[in-house]
Tab-separated table of all heavy atoms in Angstrom:
chain	number	residue	atom	x	y	z
A	1213	ASN	N	7.077	7.302	8.267
A	1213	ASN	CA	5.759	7.923	8.120
A	1213	ASN	C	5.744	8.981	7.025
A	1213	ASN	O	4.722	9.173	6.367
A	1213	ASN	CB	5.329	8.541	9.457
A	1213	ASN	CG	5.000	7.467	10.491
A	1213	ASN	OD1	4.654	6.347	10.120
A	1213	ASN	ND2	5.121	7.816	11.754
A	1214	ASP	N	6.861	9.708	6.847
A	1214	ASP	CA	6.877	10.746	5.816
A	1214	ASP	C	6.652	10.144	4.431
A	1214	ASP	O	5.954	10.718	3.591
A	1214	ASP	CB	8.220	11.497	5.850
A	1214	ASP	CG	8.333	12.363	7.092
A	1214	ASP	OD1	7.280	12.710	7.672
A	1214	ASP	OD2	9.470	12.702	7.462
A	1215	THR	N	7.259	8.986	4.189
A	1215	THR	CA	7.092	8.341	2.887
A	1215	THR	C	5.651	7.884	2.693
A	1215	THR	O	5.075	8.011	1.613
A	1215	THR	CB	8.046	7.128	2.760
A	1215	THR	OG1	9.365	7.555	3.025
A	1215	THR	CG2	7.957	6.525	1.373
A	1216	VAL	N	5.025	7.345	3.768
A	1216	VAL	CA	3.639	6.908	3.683
A	1216	VAL	C	2.734	8.077	3.342
A	1216	VAL	O	1.867	8.013	2.470
A	1216	VAL	CB	3.195	6.251	5.014
A	1216	VAL	CG1	1.702	5.978	4.996
A	1216	VAL	CG2	3.957	4.973	5.250
A	1217	ILE	N	2.953	9.209	4.047
A	1217	ILE	CA	2.122	10.390	3.800
A	1217	ILE	C	2.303	10.883	2.370
A	1217	ILE	O	1.352	11.295	1.705
A	1217	ILE	CB	2.471	11.497	4.819
A	1217	ILE	CG1	2.055	11.066	6.236
A	1217	ILE	CG2	1.774	12.805	4.459
A	1217	ILE	CD1	2.508	12.003	7.324
A	1218	SER	N	3.536	10.781	1.856
A	1218	SER	CA	3.784	11.286	0.508
A	1218	SER	C	3.109	10.449	-0.557
A	1218	SER	O	2.887	10.912	-1.672
A	1218	SER	CB	5.296	11.346	0.242
A	1218	SER	OG	5.823	10.029	0.154
A	1219	THR	N	2.794	9.202	-0.261
A	1219	THR	CA	2.131	8.362	-1.257
A	1219	THR	C	0.642	8.643	-1.351
A	1219	THR	O	0.018	8.381	-2.369
A	1219	THR	CB	2.323	6.863	-0.937
A	1219	THR	OG1	1.679	6.571	0.301
A	1219	THR	CG2	3.785	6.503	-0.880
A	1220	THR	N	0.050	9.185	-0.275
A	1220	THR	CA	-1.392	9.371	-0.243
A	1220	THR	C	-1.900	10.333	-1.304
A	1220	THR	O	-2.914	10.065	-1.948
A	1220	THR	CB	-1.829	9.821	1.164
A	1220	THR	OG1	-1.344	8.897	2.123
A	1220	THR	CG2	-3.349	9.915	1.248
A	1221	PRO	N	-1.268	11.487	-1.579
A	1221	PRO	CA	-1.781	12.394	-2.606
A	1221	PRO	C	-1.831	11.798	-4.006
A	1221	PRO	O	-2.500	12.348	-4.879
A	1221	PRO	CB	-0.809	13.573	-2.550
A	1221	PRO	CG	-0.249	13.536	-1.167
A	1221	PRO	CD	-0.147	12.083	-0.842
A	1222	ILE	N	-1.123	10.683	-4.233
A	1222	ILE	CA	-1.190	10.050	-5.548
A	1222	ILE	C	-2.628	9.701	-5.896
A	1222	ILE	O	-3.028	9.708	-7.050
A	1222	ILE	CB	-0.291	8.780	-5.580
A	1222	ILE	CG1	1.174	9.187	-5.449
A	1222	ILE	CG2	-0.516	7.970	-6.843
A	1222	ILE	CD1	2.128	8.019	-5.357
A	1223	LEU	N	-3.443	9.452	-4.878
A	1223	LEU	CA	-4.837	9.120	-5.113
A	1223	LEU	C	-5.559	10.234	-5.857
A	1223	LEU	O	-6.418	9.980	-6.682
A	1223	LEU	CB	-5.542	8.834	-3.782
A	1223	LEU	CG	-5.024	7.650	-2.968
A	1223	LEU	CD1	-5.750	7.589	-1.639
A	1223	LEU	CD2	-5.214	6.364	-3.731
A	1224	LEU	N	-5.231	11.472	-5.568
A	1224	LEU	CA	-5.888	12.597	-6.228
A	1224	LEU	C	-5.573	12.616	-7.717
A	1224	LEU	O	-6.435	12.933	-8.541
A	1224	LEU	CB	-5.449	13.903	-5.563
A	1224	LEU	CG	-5.786	14.034	-4.065
A	1224	LEU	CD1	-5.217	15.331	-3.516
A	1224	LEU	CD2	-7.288	13.979	-3.850
A	1225	ASP	N	-4.340	12.285	-8.075
A	1225	ASP	CA	-3.959	12.276	-9.485
A	1225	ASP	C	-4.653	11.144	-10.249
A	1225	ASP	O	-4.973	11.278	-11.432
A	1225	ASP	CB	-2.438	12.138	-9.617
A	1225	ASP	CG	-1.694	13.304	-8.983
A	1225	ASP	OD1	-2.280	14.410	-8.955
A	1225	ASP	OD2	-0.573	13.102	-8.495
A	1226	ASP	N	-4.856	10.015	-9.567
A	1226	ASP	CA	-5.425	8.850	-10.239
A	1226	ASP	C	-6.952	8.863	-10.267
A	1226	ASP	O	-7.570	8.160	-11.068
A	1226	ASP	CB	-4.983	7.561	-9.535
A	1226	ASP	CG	-3.481	7.357	-9.615
A	1226	ASP	OD1	-2.896	7.764	-10.636
A	1226	ASP	OD2	-2.912	6.795	-8.668
A	1227	ALA	N	-7.561	9.657	-9.389
A	1227	ALA	CA	-9.020	9.630	-9.274
A	1227	ALA	C	-9.703	10.001	-10.582
A	1227	ALA	O	-10.728	9.416	-10.948
A	1227	ALA	CB	-9.473	10.563	-8.153
A	1228	GLY	N	-9.131	10.982	-11.327
A	1228	GLY	CA	-9.751	11.398	-12.583
A	1228	GLY	C	-9.826	10.266	-13.585
A	1228	GLY	O	-10.866	10.049	-14.221
A	1229	ALA	N	-8.723	9.503	-13.732
A	1229	ALA	CA	-8.722	8.377	-14.668
A	1229	ALA	C	-9.739	7.324	-14.252
A	1229	ALA	O	-10.425	6.729	-15.094
A	1229	ALA	CB	-7.328	7.766	-14.746
A	1230	LEU	N	-9.882	7.105	-12.949
A	1230	LEU	CA	-10.846	6.119	-12.477
A	1230	LEU	C	-12.277	6.567	-12.729
A	1230	LEU	O	-13.125	5.778	-13.148
A	1230	LEU	CB	-10.626	5.865	-10.977
A	1230	LEU	CG	-9.336	5.124	-10.620
A	1230	LEU	CD1	-9.045	5.246	-9.127
A	1230	LEU	CD2	-9.431	3.654	-11.009
A	1231	LEU	N	-12.557	7.830	-12.481
A	1231	LEU	CA	-13.918	8.331	-12.671
A	1231	LEU	C	-14.354	8.249	-14.128
A	1231	LEU	O	-15.536	8.082	-14.417
A	1231	LEU	CB	-14.019	9.772	-12.170
A	1231	LEU	CG	-13.934	9.946	-10.647
A	1231	LEU	CD1	-13.886	11.419	-10.289
A	1231	LEU	CD2	-15.118	9.265	-9.960
A	1232	ARG	N	-13.399	8.359	-15.034
A	1232	ARG	CA	-13.753	8.297	-16.458
A	1232	ARG	C	-14.170	6.895	-16.897
A	1232	ARG	O	-14.672	6.717	-18.004
A	1232	ARG	CB	-12.579	8.794	-17.305
A	1232	ARG	CG	-12.384	10.305	-17.258
A	1232	ARG	CD	-11.394	10.778	-18.311
A	1232	ARG	NE	-10.042	10.306	-18.068
A	1232	ARG	CZ	-9.144	10.951	-17.292
A	1232	ARG	NH1	-9.498	12.094	-16.700
A	1232	ARG	NH2	-7.939	10.474	-17.127
A	1233	THR	N	-13.940	5.890	-16.059
A	1233	THR	CA	-14.303	4.506	-16.411
A	1233	THR	C	-15.533	4.015	-15.635
A	1233	THR	O	-15.808	2.817	-15.620
A	1233	THR	CB	-13.124	3.550	-16.143
A	1233	THR	OG1	-12.813	3.560	-14.737
A	1233	THR	CG2	-11.899	3.953	-16.928
A	1234	LEU	N	-16.293	4.903	-15.009
A	1234	LEU	CA	-17.439	4.489	-14.201
A	1234	LEU	C	-18.486	3.735	-15.015
A	1234	LEU	O	-19.214	2.892	-14.485
A	1234	LEU	CB	-18.087	5.705	-13.540
A	1234	LEU	CG	-17.372	6.276	-12.303
A	1234	LEU	CD1	-18.088	7.520	-11.817
A	1234	LEU	CD2	-17.298	5.236	-11.186
A	1235	ASP	N	-18.597	4.056	-16.312
A	1235	ASP	CA	-19.596	3.386	-17.145
A	1235	ASP	C	-19.172	1.982	-17.560
A	1235	ASP	O	-19.955	1.251	-18.167
A	1235	ASP	CB	-19.877	4.215	-18.400
A	1235	ASP	CG	-20.615	5.510	-18.073
A	1235	ASP	OD1	-21.422	5.490	-17.124
A	1235	ASP	OD2	-20.368	6.520	-18.743
A	1236	ASP	N	-17.939	1.607	-17.269
A	1236	ASP	CA	-17.427	0.288	-17.632
A	1236	ASP	C	-16.790	-0.326	-16.386
A	1236	ASP	O	-15.590	-0.240	-16.181
A	1236	ASP	CB	-16.400	0.407	-18.761
A	1236	ASP	CG	-15.961	-0.942	-19.307
A	1236	ASP	OD1	-16.316	-1.968	-18.689
A	1236	ASP	OD2	-15.270	-0.967	-20.341
A	1237	PRO	N	-17.604	-0.958	-15.511
A	1237	PRO	CA	-17.080	-1.468	-14.239
A	1237	PRO	C	-15.900	-2.425	-14.392
A	1237	PRO	O	-14.989	-2.406	-13.556
A	1237	PRO	CB	-18.290	-2.175	-13.620
A	1237	PRO	CG	-19.470	-1.490	-14.212
A	1237	PRO	CD	-19.065	-1.139	-15.606
A	1238	ALA	N	-15.901	-3.271	-15.439
A	1238	ALA	CA	-14.789	-4.212	-15.619
A	1238	ALA	C	-13.464	-3.458	-15.767
A	1238	ALA	O	-12.458	-3.799	-15.135
A	1238	ALA	CB	-15.048	-5.091	-16.836
A	1239	ARG	N	-13.452	-2.414	-16.598
A	1239	ARG	CA	-12.243	-1.597	-16.767
A	1239	ARG	C	-11.927	-0.826	-15.495
A	1239	ARG	O	-10.762	-0.645	-15.133
A	1239	ARG	CB	-12.429	-0.617	-17.927
A	1239	ARG	CG	-12.337	-1.244	-19.305
A	1239	ARG	CD	-12.430	-0.178	-20.373
A	1239	ARG	NE	-11.384	0.829	-20.206
A	1239	ARG	CZ	-11.502	2.102	-20.573
A	1239	ARG	NH1	-12.635	2.542	-21.106
A	1239	ARG	NH2	-10.503	2.943	-20.392
A	1240	LEU	N	-12.961	-0.354	-14.812
A	1240	LEU	CA	-12.770	0.418	-13.588
A	1240	LEU	C	-11.989	-0.373	-12.553
A	1240	LEU	O	-10.994	0.107	-11.995
A	1240	LEU	CB	-14.136	0.819	-13.031
A	1240	LEU	CG	-14.151	1.448	-11.624
A	1240	LEU	CD1	-13.441	2.789	-11.632
A	1240	LEU	CD2	-15.588	1.597	-11.115
A	1241	TRP	N	-12.439	-1.619	-12.301
A	1241	TRP	CA	-11.780	-2.396	-11.246
A	1241	TRP	C	-10.377	-2.822	-11.663
A	1241	TRP	O	-9.474	-2.875	-10.820
A	1241	TRP	CB	-12.638	-3.603	-10.894
A	1241	TRP	CG	-14.031	-3.268	-10.482
A	1241	TRP	CD1	-15.189	-3.868	-10.899
A	1241	TRP	CD2	-14.446	-2.236	-9.570
A	1241	TRP	NE1	-16.279	-3.281	-10.317
A	1241	TRP	CE2	-15.859	-2.279	-9.492
A	1241	TRP	CE3	-13.764	-1.282	-8.822
A	1241	TRP	CZ2	-16.586	-1.406	-8.697
A	1241	TRP	CZ3	-14.495	-0.407	-8.018
A	1241	TRP	CH2	-15.882	-0.468	-7.961
A	1242	LEU	N	-10.175	-3.135	-12.930
A	1242	LEU	CA	-8.827	-3.485	-13.388
A	1242	LEU	C	-7.875	-2.306	-13.227
A	1242	LEU	O	-6.731	-2.466	-12.785
A	1242	LEU	CB	-8.863	-3.944	-14.847
A	1242	LEU	CG	-9.455	-5.332	-15.113
A	1242	LEU	CD1	-9.553	-5.580	-16.611
A	1242	LEU	CD2	-8.614	-6.414	-14.453
A	1243	LEU	N	-8.330	-1.117	-13.597
A	1243	LEU	CA	-7.489	0.068	-13.456
A	1243	LEU	C	-7.191	0.344	-11.987
A	1243	LEU	O	-6.057	0.685	-11.627
A	1243	LEU	CB	-8.187	1.271	-14.099
A	1243	LEU	CG	-7.465	2.619	-13.990
A	1243	LEU	CD1	-6.066	2.534	-14.594
A	1243	LEU	CD2	-8.285	3.723	-14.650
A	1244	LEU	N	-8.200	0.195	-11.131
A	1244	LEU	CA	-7.987	0.414	-9.708
A	1244	LEU	C	-6.891	-0.496	-9.161
A	1244	LEU	O	-5.974	-0.054	-8.452
A	1244	LEU	CB	-9.300	0.188	-8.952
A	1244	LEU	CG	-9.204	0.262	-7.424
A	1244	LEU	CD1	-8.902	1.689	-6.974
A	1244	LEU	CD2	-10.483	-0.246	-6.772
A	1245	LEU	N	-6.969	-1.784	-9.487
A	1245	LEU	CA	-5.970	-2.723	-8.975
A	1245	LEU	C	-4.608	-2.502	-9.617
A	1245	LEU	O	-3.573	-2.712	-8.971
A	1245	LEU	CB	-6.445	-4.161	-9.189
A	1245	LEU	CG	-7.702	-4.589	-8.405
A	1245	LEU	CD1	-7.876	-6.101	-8.469
A	1245	LEU	CD2	-7.626	-4.142	-6.950
A	1246	ASP	N	-4.582	-2.100	-10.893
A	1246	ASP	CA	-3.300	-1.767	-11.526
A	1246	ASP	C	-2.604	-0.642	-10.765
A	1246	ASP	O	-1.390	-0.688	-10.508
A	1246	ASP	CB	-3.525	-1.347	-12.980
A	1246	ASP	CG	-3.730	-2.532	-13.905
A	1246	ASP	OD1	-3.369	-3.651	-13.507
A	1246	ASP	OD2	-4.253	-2.340	-15.018
A	1247	LEU	N	-3.364	0.375	-10.422
A	1247	LEU	CA	-2.788	1.505	-9.690
A	1247	LEU	C	-2.341	1.091	-8.291
A	1247	LEU	O	-1.282	1.506	-7.819
A	1247	LEU	CB	-3.810	2.639	-9.611
A	1247	LEU	CG	-4.158	3.319	-10.944
A	1247	LEU	CD1	-5.354	4.248	-10.765
A	1247	LEU	CD2	-2.956	4.081	-11.483
A	1248	MET	N	-3.149	0.262	-7.642
A	1248	MET	CA	-2.776	-0.212	-6.308
A	1248	MET	C	-1.495	-1.037	-6.349
A	1248	MET	O	-0.606	-0.868	-5.510
A	1248	MET	CB	-3.918	-1.039	-5.719
A	1248	MET	CG	-5.119	-0.230	-5.292
A	1248	MET	SD	-6.442	-1.278	-4.637
A	1248	MET	CE	-5.576	-2.163	-3.365
A	1249	ALA	N	-1.406	-1.939	-7.334
A	1249	ALA	CA	-0.206	-2.769	-7.453
A	1249	ALA	C	1.026	-1.926	-7.753
A	1249	ALA	O	2.144	-2.284	-7.370
A	1249	ALA	CB	-0.411	-3.812	-8.547
A	1250	ARG	N	0.820	-0.775	-8.422
A	1250	ARG	CA	1.939	0.110	-8.748
A	1250	ARG	C	2.411	0.894	-7.528
A	1250	ARG	O	3.598	1.147	-7.363
A	1250	ARG	CB	1.514	1.063	-9.855
A	1250	ARG	CG	2.634	1.938	-10.410
A	1250	ARG	CD	2.084	2.941	-11.406
A	1250	ARG	NE	1.241	2.284	-12.416
A	1250	ARG	CZ	0.418	2.951	-13.221
A	1250	ARG	NH1	0.316	4.281	-13.123
A	1250	ARG	NH2	-0.299	2.301	-14.119
């Protein structure tokens, strides 16, 4: 569980990059899945 909890804050670091692509949904979803796969 400690490892799972430690992965959750990564979302905060990635949220800024995702928000910057809101005007381009195609790039937004690709970036989202890239981060998830990582």
Side-chain angles (χ1 to χ4, degrees):
N1213 290 335
D1214 290 338
T1215 306
V1216 172
I1217 293 173
S1218 69
T1219 64
T1220 306
I1222 294 175
L1223 298 175
L1224 300 176
D1225 298 331
D1226 296 327
L1230 290 165
L1231 290 174
R1232 286 191 294 273
T1233 62
L1234 282 177
D1235 291 327
D1236 187 351
R1239 285 184 58 209
L1240 171 66
W1241 304 134
L1242 287 174
L1243 178 57
L1244 175 68
L1245 295 193
D1246 281 342
L1247 293 170
M1248 287 179 55
R1250 187 186 310 165

